[in-house]
Amino acid sequence: MRTVTVSLFHFLLFIIVAVCFSCSCCDGNSNVLCIESEREALLKLKNDLIDPSNKLSSWVEGGNCCKWNGVVCHNLTGHVDQLHLAAEPYEWLKLGGTINPSLLQLKHLTSLNLSYNNFSSIQIPDFFGLLVSLTYLDLSLAQFQGPIPHNLGNLSKLQYLDLRCDLSSWGMEAKSLEWVSRLSSLQYLDLSGVDLYKATDWLQVTFNLPSLLELHLFGCSLENQIPDYSGNMSFLEVVDLSLNSLNSTMPNSLFSLDHLQSLDLSNNIC
Ligand SMILES: *[C@@H]1O[C@H](CO)[C@@H](O)[C@H](O)[C@H]1NC(C)=O
Ligand SMILES: *[C@@H]1O[C@H](CO)[C@@H](O)[C@H](O)[C@H]1NC(C)=O
Ligand SMILES: *[C@@H]1O[C@H](CO)[C@@H](O)[C@H](O)[C@H]1NC(C)=O
Ligand SMILES: *[C@@H]1O[C@H](CO)[C@@H](O)[C@H](O)[C@H]1NC(C)=O
Ligand SMILES: *[C@@H]1O[C@H](CO)[C@@H](O)[C@H](O)[C@H]1NC(C)=O
Ligand SMILES: CC(=O)N[C@H]1CO[C@H](CO)[C@@H](O)[C@@H]1O
């Protein structure tokens, strides 16, 4: 009886190992097949993008989109999980054009990186606020213009938001920061270079961001005093408020943040 049990165990082990090798299920991402509707969505996206360096040449009809340049699928479900379409800082043939709302078909997208591209002909599309699975959104130095859509505040899973823009271009602005206060999962926020001159509510809004570790508001044209947010952002480690017009009235609590490692207030009125 015992030998039967042992050999049955070995038999099962053999089957598992054999299945693993034959379909390479242990190999993760590269072997999952993409989902057809998501492939079509990506092709529509490509259609509206200007791609001077042919970065998206692998994006063709009928292919396995999980193997396409910049596309990362979930290793078990095959859903598109991440889109890494960032340019490199030194690259001068950047992606541009417009962004097709077909992006919304990627319902499981957790990470979108378009940084260093050239979207100077458009604003951040309103529909980005519907990409509710996102945990990472990096649109830094991608030259988007105009107002930041406030419905980005609906991205409740967002942990990382980088909308930093080039100081010399004054590309983007926000007239309110109420939407930021709704991003309760945020750990990293960078709005450096975004014109916040008119976002006077930054003094009143309660930034209930208990997970926030880094706050970068370099060169945002902020005025008046530094508001007291410390109670609701008590885990802050890095704060950069340099190059604004903040005055010397400062909440004492700013200096009692237990986890603070770096505080940059240089180039202000104070
Ligand atoms: C899938 O990816 C996760 C991490 O993203 C990893 O922990 C897991 O082992 C992977 N599973 C397979 C079957 O490759
Ligand atoms: C986005 O891509 C840029 C350029 O490759 C990289 O430096 C940056 O770390 C990426 N952002 C995230 C959130 O991974
Ligand atoms: C960005 O794209 C615009 C056209 O949309 C073009 O005029 C401009 O030269 C491009 N800039 C860079 C730095 O590639
Ligand atoms: C997203 O946010 C906007 C305001 O910022 C709000 O009016 C809208 O109803 C929200 N949409 C959803 C689907 O939650
Ligand atoms: C800083 O600005 C606030 C709001 O305008 C004002 O109440 C405060 O007196 C100012 N502090 C100094 C030192 O100018
Ligand atoms: C510790 C602290 O100041 N918590 C405040 C955070 O913000 C909420 C309002 O959203 C206040 O009710 C809390 O008192």
Side-chain angles (χ1 to χ4, degrees):
M1 186 62 202
R2 186 158 159 258
T3 45
V4 172
T5 316
V6 168
S7 59
L8 186 64
F9 171 77
H10 279 109
F11 177 70
L12 284 176
L13 193 66
F14 170 78
I15 296 283
I16 290 167
V17 169
V19 167
C20 253
F21 274 102
S22 63
C23 75
S24 299
C25 67
C26 309
D27 194 18
N29 186 46
S30 57
N31 288 286
V32 291
L33 277 177
C34 80
I35 288 156
E36 196 176 332
S37 60
E38 298 193 350
R39 176 174 59 223
E40 294 312 310
L42 288 168
L43 288 170
K44 282 185 193 154
L45 189 69
K46 173 180 175 174
N47 225 16
D48 284 359
L49 291 171
I50 298 168
D51 178 18
S53 60
N54 250 334
K55 196 173 282 183
L56 306 182
S57 59
S58 56
W59 294 33
V60 291
E61 202 73 58
N64 177 1
C65 67
C66 295
K67 293 188 171 174
W68 291 356
N69 191 21
V71 180
V72 177
C73 292
H74 190 278
N75 58 12
L76 300 176
T77 64
H79 285 292
V80 174
D81 184 58
Q82 303 173 23
L83 276 183
H84 293 286
L85 300 177
E88 294 305 324
Y90 52 82
E91 227 177 301
W92 61 282
L93 292 174
K94 299 156 181 287
L95 286 181
T98 61
I99 298 174
N100 193 295
S102 68
L103 189 60
L104 295 177
Q105 297 297 311
L106 309 176
K107 295 199 190 318
H108 300 267
L109 192 67
T110 64
S111 174
L112 176 61
N113 192 340
L114 297 175
S115 85
Y116 293 108
N117 284 307
N118 179 7
F119 290 103
S120 57
S121 56
I122 59 170
Q123 303 178 358
I124 296 177
D126 273 0
F127 65 76
F128 274 26
L130 295 169
L131 294 166
V132 289
S133 299
L134 283 184
T135 56
Y136 280 82
L137 180 58
D138 189 345
L139 305 179
S140 60
L141 301 165
Q143 300 179 55
F144 286 100
Q145 299 297 306
I148 294 173
H150 292 179
N151 59 6
L152 288 188
N154 297 349
L155 301 177
S156 57
K157 293 186 182 161
L158 216 51
Q159 295 172 9
Y160 184 103
L161 177 61
D162 194 346
L163 302 180
R164 171 169 50 111
C165 46
D166 197 335
L167 265 187
S168 59
S169 69
W170 288 115
M172 286 195 288
E173 61 169 351
K175 294 198 171 94
S176 155
L177 286 178
E178 178 276 332
W179 59 279
V180 174
S181 68
R182 288 187 278 132
L183 296 170
S184 54
S185 305
L186 265 196
Q187 295 175 14
Y188 182 99
L189 175 65
D190 195 339
L191 298 177
S192 297
V194 174
D195 185 356
L196 299 180
Y197 181 73
K198 292 179 186 144
T200 45
D201 65 350
W202 99 294
L203 291 168
Q204 287 95 42
V205 174
T206 301
F207 290 91
N208 214 358
L209 306 176
S211 307
L212 198 69
L213 303 176
E214 293 201 25
L215 175 65
H216 299 268
L217 296 172
F218 164 86
C220 292
S221 298
L222 294 168
E223 286 191 324
N224 301 316
Q225 82 270 34
I226 298 171
D228 183 2
Y229 299 139
S230 50
N232 278 300
M233 302 200 286
S234 47
F235 289 100
L236 276 176
E237 293 174 354
V238 176
V239 178
D240 182 358
L241 295 172
S242 59
L243 198 63
N244 284 293
S245 302
L246 298 164
N247 73 24
S248 57
T249 304
M250 238 168 275
N252 288 332
S253 50
L254 191 63
F255 302 98
S256 58
L257 288 169
D258 284 344
H259 302 269
L260 200 62
Q261 292 163 10
S262 158
L263 172 63
D264 192 345
L265 298 174
S266 61
N267 293 297
N268 276 290
I269 297 172
C270 47

Short mmCIF file of all heavy atoms in Angstrom, two decimals, residues 172-199:
data_model
loop_
_atom_site.label_atom_id
_atom_site.label_comp_id
_atom_site.label_asym_id
_atom_site.label_seq_id
_atom_site.Cartn_x
_atom_site.Cartn_y
_atom_site.Cartn_z
N MET A 172 1.85 73.06 -17.79
CA MET A 172 0.59 72.65 -17.18
C MET A 172 0.24 73.53 -15.99
O MET A 172 1.11 74.11 -15.35
CB MET A 172 0.69 71.20 -16.72
CG MET A 172 0.64 70.23 -17.87
SD MET A 172 0.32 68.55 -17.32
CE MET A 172 1.87 68.12 -16.55
N GLU A 173 -1.06 73.57 -15.69
CA GLU A 173 -1.51 74.34 -14.54
C GLU A 173 -2.66 73.60 -13.85
O GLU A 173 -3.30 72.73 -14.44
CB GLU A 173 -1.98 75.73 -14.96
CG GLU A 173 -3.15 75.67 -15.91
CD GLU A 173 -3.81 77.03 -16.13
OE1 GLU A 173 -3.47 77.99 -15.42
OE2 GLU A 173 -4.68 77.11 -17.00
N ALA A 174 -2.89 73.97 -12.59
CA ALA A 174 -4.07 73.47 -11.88
C ALA A 174 -4.64 74.63 -11.09
O ALA A 174 -3.89 75.39 -10.46
CB ALA A 174 -3.71 72.32 -10.96
N LYS A 175 -5.94 74.82 -11.15
CA LYS A 175 -6.58 75.95 -10.46
C LYS A 175 -7.10 75.55 -9.10
O LYS A 175 -7.64 76.36 -8.37
CB LYS A 175 -7.72 76.51 -11.32
CG LYS A 175 -7.22 77.15 -12.62
CD LYS A 175 -8.27 78.07 -13.22
CE LYS A 175 -7.71 78.87 -14.38
NZ LYS A 175 -7.94 78.23 -15.67
N SER A 176 -6.98 74.28 -8.80
CA SER A 176 -7.41 73.76 -7.50
C SER A 176 -6.61 72.51 -7.20
O SER A 176 -6.11 71.86 -8.12
CB SER A 176 -8.91 73.44 -7.57
OG SER A 176 -9.23 72.46 -6.60
N LEU A 177 -6.47 72.20 -5.92
CA LEU A 177 -5.78 70.96 -5.56
C LEU A 177 -6.70 70.01 -4.80
O LEU A 177 -6.26 69.03 -4.22
CB LEU A 177 -4.52 71.26 -4.74
CG LEU A 177 -3.36 71.83 -5.55
CD1 LEU A 177 -2.19 72.14 -4.65
CD2 LEU A 177 -2.92 70.88 -6.65
N GLU A 178 -8.00 70.33 -4.87
CA GLU A 178 -8.98 69.46 -4.19
C GLU A 178 -8.84 68.02 -4.66
O GLU A 178 -8.92 67.07 -3.89
CB GLU A 178 -10.39 70.02 -4.45
CG GLU A 178 -11.52 69.21 -3.85
CD GLU A 178 -11.94 68.03 -4.72
OE1 GLU A 178 -11.80 68.09 -5.97
OE2 GLU A 178 -12.38 67.04 -4.16
N TRP A 179 -8.62 67.84 -5.96
CA TRP A 179 -8.53 66.49 -6.53
C TRP A 179 -7.38 65.70 -5.92
O TRP A 179 -7.47 64.49 -5.73
CB TRP A 179 -8.40 66.57 -8.06
CG TRP A 179 -7.19 67.33 -8.55
CD1 TRP A 179 -7.09 68.70 -8.65
CD2 TRP A 179 -5.93 66.79 -8.96
NE1 TRP A 179 -5.83 69.04 -9.10
CE2 TRP A 179 -5.11 67.88 -9.31
CE3 TRP A 179 -5.44 65.50 -9.09
CZ2 TRP A 179 -3.81 67.72 -9.76
CZ3 TRP A 179 -4.14 65.34 -9.54
CH2 TRP A 179 -3.34 66.44 -9.87
N VAL A 180 -6.27 66.40 -5.61
CA VAL A 180 -5.12 65.69 -5.03
C VAL A 180 -5.49 65.12 -3.67
O VAL A 180 -5.10 64.00 -3.31
CB VAL A 180 -3.91 66.63 -4.88
CG1 VAL A 180 -2.78 65.93 -4.15
CG2 VAL A 180 -3.43 67.12 -6.24
N SER A 181 -6.32 65.89 -2.94
CA SER A 181 -6.66 65.46 -1.58
C SER A 181 -7.46 64.17 -1.56
O SER A 181 -7.61 63.54 -0.54
CB SER A 181 -7.44 66.57 -0.87
OG SER A 181 -8.71 66.71 -1.47
N ARG A 182 -7.97 63.76 -2.75
CA ARG A 182 -8.75 62.52 -2.81
C ARG A 182 -7.90 61.29 -3.12
O ARG A 182 -8.39 60.17 -3.14
CB ARG A 182 -9.86 62.66 -3.86
CG ARG A 182 -10.97 63.60 -3.41
CD ARG A 182 -12.12 63.61 -4.39
NE ARG A 182 -11.89 64.49 -5.54
CZ ARG A 182 -12.08 64.12 -6.80
NH1 ARG A 182 -12.50 62.92 -7.09
NH2 ARG A 182 -11.84 64.98 -7.78
N LEU A 183 -6.61 61.50 -3.40
CA LEU A 183 -5.74 60.37 -3.79
C LEU A 183 -5.16 59.72 -2.54
O LEU A 183 -3.97 59.82 -2.24
CB LEU A 183 -4.63 60.88 -4.72
CG LEU A 183 -5.11 61.45 -6.06
CD1 LEU A 183 -3.97 62.14 -6.80
CD2 LEU A 183 -5.70 60.35 -6.92
N SER A 184 -6.03 59.02 -1.83
CA SER A 184 -5.68 58.61 -0.48
C SER A 184 -4.61 57.50 -0.40
O SER A 184 -4.10 57.22 0.67
CB SER A 184 -6.93 58.18 0.28
OG SER A 184 -7.59 57.20 -0.49
N SER A 185 -4.27 56.87 -1.53
CA SER A 185 -3.23 55.84 -1.49
C SER A 185 -1.85 56.37 -1.86
O SER A 185 -0.88 55.62 -1.87
CB SER A 185 -3.57 54.70 -2.46
OG SER A 185 -4.83 54.19 -2.21
N LEU A 186 -1.78 57.66 -2.19
CA LEU A 186 -0.52 58.21 -2.72
C LEU A 186 0.65 58.06 -1.77
O LEU A 186 0.56 58.36 -0.58
CB LEU A 186 -0.68 59.70 -3.02
CG LEU A 186 -1.03 60.18 -4.41
CD1 LEU A 186 -0.73 61.66 -4.52
CD2 LEU A 186 -0.33 59.40 -5.50
N GLN A 187 1.78 57.63 -2.33
CA GLN A 187 3.02 57.59 -1.58
C GLN A 187 4.02 58.61 -2.12
O GLN A 187 4.89 59.09 -1.41
CB GLN A 187 3.63 56.19 -1.65
CG GLN A 187 2.76 55.15 -0.98
CD GLN A 187 3.29 53.75 -1.15
OE1 GLN A 187 4.43 53.54 -1.55
NE2 GLN A 187 2.47 52.78 -0.86
N TYR A 188 3.86 58.91 -3.43
CA TYR A 188 4.82 59.78 -4.09
C TYR A 188 4.05 60.76 -4.97
O TYR A 188 3.26 60.35 -5.82
CB TYR A 188 5.76 58.93 -4.96
CG TYR A 188 6.85 59.71 -5.66
CD1 TYR A 188 8.14 59.76 -5.15
CD2 TYR A 188 6.58 60.40 -6.85
CE1 TYR A 188 9.13 60.49 -5.79
CE2 TYR A 188 7.58 61.14 -7.49
CZ TYR A 188 8.85 61.16 -6.96
OH TYR A 188 9.84 61.87 -7.59
N LEU A 189 4.27 62.05 -4.76
CA LEU A 189 3.59 63.06 -5.58
C LEU A 189 4.60 64.10 -6.06
O LEU A 189 5.31 64.70 -5.25
CB LEU A 189 2.50 63.76 -4.77
CG LEU A 189 1.79 64.94 -5.47
CD1 LEU A 189 1.02 64.47 -6.69
CD2 LEU A 189 0.86 65.67 -4.51
N ASP A 190 4.66 64.29 -7.36
CA ASP A 190 5.53 65.32 -7.92
C ASP A 190 4.74 66.18 -8.90
O ASP A 190 4.30 65.70 -9.95
CB ASP A 190 6.73 64.69 -8.62
CG ASP A 190 7.84 65.71 -8.88
OD1 ASP A 190 7.53 66.93 -8.91
OD2 ASP A 190 8.99 65.30 -9.07
N LEU A 191 4.52 67.45 -8.52
CA LEU A 191 3.87 68.40 -9.42
C LEU A 191 4.83 69.55 -9.74
O LEU A 191 4.39 70.64 -10.11
CB LEU A 191 2.59 68.96 -8.77
CG LEU A 191 1.47 67.97 -8.44
CD1 LEU A 191 0.31 68.69 -7.74
CD2 LEU A 191 0.96 67.27 -9.69
N SER A 192 6.10 69.31 -9.59
CA SER A 192 7.08 70.38 -9.81
C SER A 192 6.94 70.98 -11.20
O SER A 192 6.76 70.27 -12.18
CB SER A 192 8.50 69.82 -9.64
OG SER A 192 8.69 69.38 -8.33
N GLY A 193 7.02 72.31 -11.25
CA GLY A 193 6.93 72.99 -12.53
C GLY A 193 5.51 73.22 -13.02
O GLY A 193 5.29 73.96 -13.96
N VAL A 194 4.53 72.59 -12.37
CA VAL A 194 3.13 72.85 -12.71
C VAL A 194 2.76 74.19 -12.08
O VAL A 194 3.09 74.46 -10.92
CB VAL A 194 2.21 71.74 -12.15
CG1 VAL A 194 0.74 72.08 -12.38
CG2 VAL A 194 2.55 70.40 -12.79
N ASP A 195 2.09 75.06 -12.84
CA ASP A 195 1.72 76.38 -12.34
C ASP A 195 0.54 76.26 -11.38
O ASP A 195 -0.59 75.99 -11.80
CB ASP A 195 1.37 77.29 -13.53
CG ASP A 195 1.10 78.72 -13.09
OD1 ASP A 195 1.11 78.99 -11.86
OD2 ASP A 195 0.87 79.57 -13.97
N LEU A 196 0.81 76.46 -10.09
CA LEU A 196 -0.25 76.34 -9.07
C LEU A 196 -0.61 77.71 -8.50
O LEU A 196 -1.22 77.82 -7.43
CB LEU A 196 0.20 75.40 -7.94
CG LEU A 196 0.53 73.96 -8.33
CD1 LEU A 196 0.97 73.15 -7.12
CD2 LEU A 196 -0.67 73.29 -9.00
N TYR A 197 -0.23 78.77 -9.22
CA TYR A 197 -0.45 80.13 -8.75
C TYR A 197 -1.91 80.37 -8.40
O TYR A 197 -2.24 81.04 -7.42
CB TYR A 197 -0.01 81.11 -9.85
CG TYR A 197 -0.17 82.56 -9.48
CD1 TYR A 197 0.68 83.17 -8.55
CD2 TYR A 197 -1.19 83.33 -10.05
CE1 TYR A 197 0.54 84.50 -8.21
CE2 TYR A 197 -1.34 84.67 -9.71
CZ TYR A 197 -0.48 85.24 -8.79
OH TYR A 197 -0.63 86.55 -8.46
N LYS A 198 -2.81 79.80 -9.24
CA LYS A 198 -4.25 80.02 -9.01
C LYS A 198 -4.87 79.00 -8.08
O LYS A 198 -6.05 79.10 -7.75
CB LYS A 198 -4.98 80.02 -10.35
CG LYS A 198 -4.61 81.24 -11.20
CD LYS A 198 -5.34 81.20 -12.53
CE LYS A 198 -4.85 82.33 -13.43
NZ LYS A 198 -4.79 81.91 -14.83
N ALA A 199 -4.09 78.00 -7.67
CA ALA A 199 -4.65 76.96 -6.79
C ALA A 199 -4.57 77.43 -5.34
O ALA A 199 -3.92 76.81 -4.50
CB ALA A 199 -3.89 75.65 -6.98
#
